[in-house]
Amino acid sequence: MIKVAFYDTKQYDLPSFEKYGKERGISFKFFEAKLDLETAQLANGCDGVCVFVNDDVNKDVINKLYELGVKFIVLRCAGFNNVDVNAAFGKIHIYRVPAYSPYAVAEHAISMLLTMNRRIHKAYIRTREYNFSLNGLTGVDLYGKTMGVVGTGKIGQIFVKICKGFGMNVIAYDKFPNPNLDIEYVDLDSLYRNSDFISLHCPLTNENFHMINAENMEKMKKGVGIINTSRGGLINAEDLLREIKARKVGFACLDVYEEESDIFFKDKSGHILDDDIFRNILSMPNVLVTSHQAFLTEEALNNIADTTTKNILDYYENKVNDNELCYHCTNIENCRKKRKVKCF
Ligand code: NAI
């Protein structure tokens, strides 16, 4: 039986990982703790570890795991900014799940837009308290409005199709436009100036950090609706708060927040939130926040557990696997995967 220490366990992880683990001869030891230098010891006696977005897989942690005899780290997510892949090279094999359900994220983005536009979140609370007034619940027709989509990859493409289904005009910006798609690409400035709503579906990079800032919001239409299901760092939250207060931004739907790691995924009710900017944003009537929930469908959870356990089996079968990461992946030209050999 392959033994794997599973860090930062959430209740929703259990059914799918228990099922696939049982089917594929993998025994998961579930820990609530996140992986760090202190908790690395929990992996003693395990062949590998399984981590999520907020586990800290730095050089010291990797060396500690290596000392303990850990042979692989499987990420149950796509992003790997929390893993020092250079430090792991030659010691511990690292795998990720590059895609699990783009539908889940695109559908969540559109749910947030629909909820906010038609004030469903307010109507739900009102009618439960026998308040059947319609005052303040007016939305707009999405039909004929312009949606600006940033990033037309797996999620962005599905989101575009959904918007077109509503009869919206869609314009898009992508650093690497895809000529095979039936999408009208524009430059970012035109997207900012012409969109009624803007939805972000690109990765966070050094280049686009805080792309939604005061300067760019200034270019947008008054009353623009901003939807972010990608990464919090794409938006300068302080600037967003200012533009909401100035009535420039009509609403914001946020599934991600730059400083989310100490807040999201936890029950913080009864606590005082120290983050003044986030508290102020949350208090705005035209802001809808979900706590990094866009991926959370049964299909996505199933796909994550399926791919993660397959990655583990591929490690044991010595297979070349495109989900394996190493420092070469930061330099695509040198990527050994092109040469069809294992990373090391
Ligand atoms: P993808 O890799 O299929 O597509 C990303 C697209 O963004 C590509 O077309 C790429 O050319 C484009 N792009 C790259 N840099 C850009 C830039 N600077 N400006 C504009 N476009 C740029 O990725 P996918 O699967 O569509 O995911 C998109 C993002 O969604 C992820 O990077 C992640 O941040 C976020 N995500 C959020 C989840 C959630 O639960 N909230 C779950 C999964 C992903």
Side-chain angles (χ1 to χ4, degrees):
M1 195 67 135
I2 303 162
K3 284 195 203 132
V4 178
F6 194 103
Y7 285 91
D8 200 11
T9 307
K10 307 284 185 294
Q11 222 184 348
Y12 60 73
D13 291 316
L14 296 175
S16 51
F17 274 94
E18 279 172 345
K19 171 178 172 276
Y20 282 100
K22 206 167 161 190
E23 280 174 19
R24 294 178 178 165
I26 302 164
S27 161
F28 289 105
K29 283 174 86 177
F30 293 102
F31 300 111
E32 270 184 37
K34 288 196 180 72
L35 175 61
D36 57 24
L37 196 51
E38 226 171 276
T39 59
Q41 186 64 34
L42 293 169
N44 197 11
C46 290
D47 305 295
V49 303
C50 181
V51 298
F52 194 44
V53 289
N54 291 322
D55 290 293
D56 187 6
V57 197
N58 61 37
K59 187 177 175 188
D60 292 341
V61 170
I62 285 172
N63 288 337
K64 174 78 187 170
L65 292 173
Y66 186 58
E67 263 173 49
L68 292 172
V70 165
K71 297 183 271 294
F72 60 84
I73 297 172
V74 281
L75 284 100
R76 49 185 194 279
C77 53
F80 54 95
N81 51 302
N82 53 333
V83 182
D84 189 336
V85 283
N86 285 10
F89 188 75
K91 292 180 178 163
I92 297 185
H93 290 261
I94 301 179
Y95 298 84
R96 67 174 181 145
V97 182
Y100 28 93
S101 173
Y103 299 99
V105 182
E107 288 170 14
H108 190 79
I110 207 77
S111 311
M112 293 188 91
L113 169 63
L114 293 173
T115 303
M116 181 52 92
N117 177 40
R118 302 304 299 270
R119 320 289 196 262
I120 303 297
H121 54 309
K122 290 180 185 291
Y124 172 78
I125 292 169
R126 277 193 197 181
T127 54
R128 289 175 75 86
E129 295 184 348
Y130 302 160
N131 174 356
F132 301 105
S133 151
L134 296 183
N135 291 338
L137 301 185
T138 310
V140 296
D141 287 3
L142 294 183
Y143 178 84
K145 297 291 182 304
T146 299
M147 172 64 76
V149 177
V150 181
T152 55
K154 293 180 283 298
I155 297 168
Q157 284 173 42
I158 294 164
F159 186 78
V160 167
K161 273 193 196 152
I162 297 173
C163 291
K164 287 189 172 176
F166 282 119
M168 300 181 82
N169 305 316
V170 178
I171 53 176
Y173 168 79
D174 195 299
K175 197 176 169 200
F176 308 101
N178 183 341
N180 302 320
L181 301 175
D182 179 22
I183 292 178
E184 183 189 345
Y185 285 106
V186 295
D187 59 45
L188 259 185
D189 251 31
S190 308
L191 185 138
Y192 291 144
R193 291 185 199 286
N194 295 308
S195 301
D196 297 299
F197 311 104
I198 295 174
S199 193
L200 304 178
H201 298 289
C202 56
L204 173 64
T205 62
N206 290 338
E207 189 188 356
N208 63 15
F209 174 72
H210 283 183
M211 63 183 284
I212 304 295
N213 55 22
E215 189 189 341
N216 287 331
M217 281 186 274
E218 186 52 41
K219 300 170 191 164
M220 295 176 192
K221 286 189 182 180
K222 188 171 163 49
V224 62
I226 297 174
I227 306 144
N228 188 8
T229 53
S230 276
R231 284 294 177 266
L234 293 170
I235 296 184
N236 179 327
E238 202 171 348
D239 288 359
L240 176 68
L241 179 63
R242 203 175 310 116
E243 297 304 325
I244 290 171
K245 282 162 81 178
R247 278 58 168 180
K248 173 78 182 188
V249 169
F251 66 77
C253 300
L254 309 173
D255 185 54
V256 284
Y257 172 59
E258 194 177 348
E259 305 297 332
E260 70 181 47
S261 68
D262 283 336
I263 305 172
F264 283 6
F265 303 114
K266 294 177 193 149
D267 182 355
K268 290 270 185 183
S269 43
H271 291 246
I272 289 169
L273 279 188
D274 290 325
D275 183 333
D276 288 347
I277 294 174
F278 188 54
R279 229 186 23 244
N280 275 334
I281 286 180
L282 269 177
S283 73
M284 292 291 160
N286 49 354
V287 170
L288 180 62
V289 172
T290 50
S291 47
H292 210 133
Q293 176 191 334
F295 74 99
L296 195 63
T297 64
E298 284 179 17
E299 288 80 359
L301 292 174
N302 232 22
N303 291 339
I304 290 169
D306 183 18
T307 306
T308 304
T309 49
K310 273 189 191 146
N311 287 343
I312 295 173
L313 296 189
D314 279 2
Y315 165 79
Y316 279 98
E317 287 165 22
N318 226 15
K319 277 193 188 157
V320 177
N321 178 330
D322 281 347
N323 300 338
E324 182 168 6
L325 299 168
C326 74
Y327 75 90
H328 290 283
C329 298
T330 58
N331 182 348
I332 299 295
E333 292 310 310
N334 286 346
C335 184
R336 290 177 181 211
K337 279 177 207 144
K338 281 195 177 161
R339 292 181 240 150
K340 297 286 170 219
V341 293
K342 283 194 78 182
C343 291
F344 60 89

